Amino acid sequence: MGRAMLIICAGVLISLGFVALSTSNTGMMLTEKNVNYAEYTMAKNAAHTAIQMAMQEINQDNNWPNDHDINNPWTITVQDRDIALYTDYYQNPNYWDPDSLWLYSNADYLNEFVQVRTLYLKQPFSSLVPDFEGALTVAAEAHKFNFTMGGSSFINGDGPTGCENKPAITTMTGSGDNFSVTEAKGKKGVQGDPMVYENPDLSYQPTDEMIARLASTDGVQYISGNYKGSMGTQENPGVFFVEDNARLTGGISEGYGILVIRSDGYMEYEGEDGATLDIAGNFTFNGLIVFENAYNFTGRGTPTINGNILVGHTEDHPDHLQVDIDVSGNIAIQYDCNAEQYAKMAAANAVKQNKYTQVVTSENVRIPPSGSTGETLIEKVKSLL
């Protein structure tokens, strides 16, 4: 009986020893897993932080992604952890189609590394330019403008192929009863859907904000005196401000982008024969022309405006100073949605601001090939390419 009891006690002690050993091993395994998970979490967070830091760099320098591909990754330390970040950047040849920007952020993790991949779509910031309301937009209260029209002038809101039809003339509510505007409805040179439209939501404020934003950038060309420079191209439309008397010389025949004539600014065009004409002569402009607080908009001669002419006044413009809109001569004002794109492109180029949309993000642990232990983080990343 005594020997049997000893055998039973010995068995129990051995069993308890196995249980204690098993419990100890389990505890060690759990501790190791917790440590690994903590390391993974810290590496993942550091990789995400690096992507946000990279986006700040890109906001300051649009060319940054081109300088940090796989052959020249951006290396930083985040939370005492080495990070190697590189880009894969596809620039779409179509200006308005989004570019694709992949960011690969790699953080050291034990003998491996954590990779966070994020795809951004990059597009120009185009919401600065108000939508074209038609061929001629008068964002002024009825008592603050006079409208006359004569000669062979033409205002057409019917868009060319690919564009929807718009009103010929768009005004604020109540301005449609202005006698001079009502008179325009009977002119055969006014064509649109409808010919005159009173827009209850029309305001000059968005245009005022656009001008203020553009004026604060380095992308604006101020024109005064005799000007012989470029007025923009299809590939590179510009933003031009006239705040004093200006004359286009040197055979300039066409322009693209945004042209702003402020206060008492006045613009002339000198033809090849030396004759001085007013706003445009035989000049063609494709985009948006704004007359802000301009006392007189005289559209004589034979200019062609493809896009939109917008006449308006700021809130502090004196009531006694009316805007005289005289559409005479052979001027042609043609609404064109393609010209609207030139205006938006010009504004986007001037402010140098882009819109980035995050599309997808993924996280995973990357394991370098065996034998790569001890290599630098960049070497580990390149070993898997």
Side-chain angles (χ1 to χ4, degrees):
M1 180 68 179
R3 179 179 296 177
M5 183 62 70
L6 288 174
I7 292 174
I8 291 172
C9 289
V12 169
L13 289 174
I14 291 173
S15 298
L16 290 174
F18 281 131
V19 170
L21 181 61
S22 176
T23 303
S24 175
N25 288 340
T26 301
M28 292 175 61
M29 290 174 61
L30 290 174
T31 300
E32 184 177 354
K33 285 184 178 180
N34 288 337
V35 170
N36 288 348
Y37 181 75
E39 284 286 321
Y40 168 75
T41 300
M42 288 189 290
K44 179 185 69 173
N45 291 342
H48 278 288
T49 300
I51 287 180
Q52 298 307 312
M53 295 171 65
M55 290 305 298
Q56 294 177 6
E57 296 289 334
I58 293 171
N59 285 331
Q60 297 175 10
D61 180 7
N62 282 328
N63 199 49
W64 194 91
N66 293 321
D67 297 332
H68 294 289
D69 59 12
I70 184 59
N71 296 313
N72 184 37
W74 185 47
T75 56
I76 55 171
T77 300
V78 177
Q79 301 168 2
D80 297 324
R81 194 172 297 273
D82 290 337
I83 304 290
L85 184 149
Y86 66 92
T87 66
D88 185 5
Y89 185 31
Y90 170 72
Q91 293 176 278
N92 200 304
N94 188 324
Y95 185 88
W96 294 112
D97 287 342
D99 298 344
S100 299
L101 174 61
W102 279 100
L103 297 180
Y104 295 82
S105 183
N106 307 280
D108 246 339
Y109 167 57
L110 304 177
N111 293 326
E112 303 158 356
F113 62 91
V114 174
Q115 183 178 83
V116 175
R117 299 188 305 165
T118 300
L119 171 63
Y120 287 92
L121 296 183
K122 170 189 171 185
Q123 289 180 292
F125 180 71
S126 60
S127 59
L128 195 60
V129 177
D131 292 337
F132 285 12
E133 299 286 345
L136 173 63
T137 302
V138 184
E141 298 170 64
H143 67 282
K144 285 193 175 184
F145 76 93
N146 291 316
F147 177 88
T148 56
M149 184 175 179
S152 301
S153 54
F154 189 72
I155 305 176
N156 188 8
D158 292 341
T161 303
C163 301
E164 63 178 318
N165 294 332
K166 293 288 185 81
I169 302 172
T170 301
T171 70
M172 290 181 168
T173 299
S175 296
D177 294 331
N178 183 307
F179 172 78
S180 55
V181 172
T182 304
E183 183 183 12
K185 295 180 181 179
K187 299 286 186 180
K188 65 178 181 180
V190 178
Q191 184 174 325
D193 182 22
M195 287 186 290
V196 178
Y197 170 60
E198 294 184 44
N199 184 347
D201 299 321
L202 183 61
S203 167
Y204 186 70
Q205 184 177 353
T207 305
D208 188 21
E209 294 172 352
M210 176 196 73
I211 291 175
R213 179 71 179 278
L214 292 175
S216 66
T217 71
D218 296 329
V220 173
Q221 175 69 53
Y222 287 87
I223 299 176
S224 63
N226 294 331
Y227 180 71
K228 298 182 180 180
S230 170
M231 289 294 291
T233 64
Q234 285 181 294
E235 295 75 21
N236 188 28
V239 178
F240 308 93
F241 277 33
V242 177
E243 296 181 334
D244 200 350
N245 290 343
R247 175 182 295 178
L248 301 184
T249 62
I252 302 173
S253 61
E254 195 162 21
Y256 293 83
I258 299 174
L259 174 61
V260 179
I261 301 176
R262 308 178 78 178
S263 297
D264 57 350
Y266 186 78
M267 192 169 181
E268 296 179 329
Y269 176 84
E270 182 178 288
E272 295 180 358
D273 58 357
T276 300
L277 308 173
D278 52 23
I279 174 66
N282 296 313
F283 180 64
T284 297
F285 193 82
N286 305 278
L288 172 64
I289 295 182
V290 179
F291 286 84
E292 181 184 81
N293 296 340
Y295 302 152
N296 293 286
F297 160 40
T298 303
R300 299 180 184 274
T302 56
T304 299
I305 311 301
N306 296 317
N308 177 241
I309 289 181
L310 191 150
V311 183
H313 59 78
T314 55
E315 291 184 358
D316 58 353
H317 187 61
D319 281 345
H320 69 279
L321 294 177
Q322 287 190 318
V323 177
D324 291 324
I325 305 173
D326 179 9
V327 181
S328 301
N330 295 312
I331 183 173
I333 306 174
Q334 171 66 59
Y335 163 71
D336 190 335
C337 63
N338 300 304
E340 185 173 3
Q341 299 306 309
Y342 295 134
K344 291 184 176 181
M345 190 185 304
N349 290 341
V351 299
K352 295 181 174 61
Q353 183 176 346
N354 295 292
K355 174 184 176 183
Y356 289 88
T357 303
Q358 184 175 335
V359 178
V360 64
T361 295
S362 65
E363 308 160 350
N364 55 71
V365 176
R366 305 300 302 274
I367 303 175
S370 58
S372 61
T373 302
E375 293 179 348
T376 66
L377 175 59
I378 294 176
E379 290 172 336
K380 290 178 183 178
V381 173
K382 288 186 176 181
S383 70
L384 291 175
L385 296 179

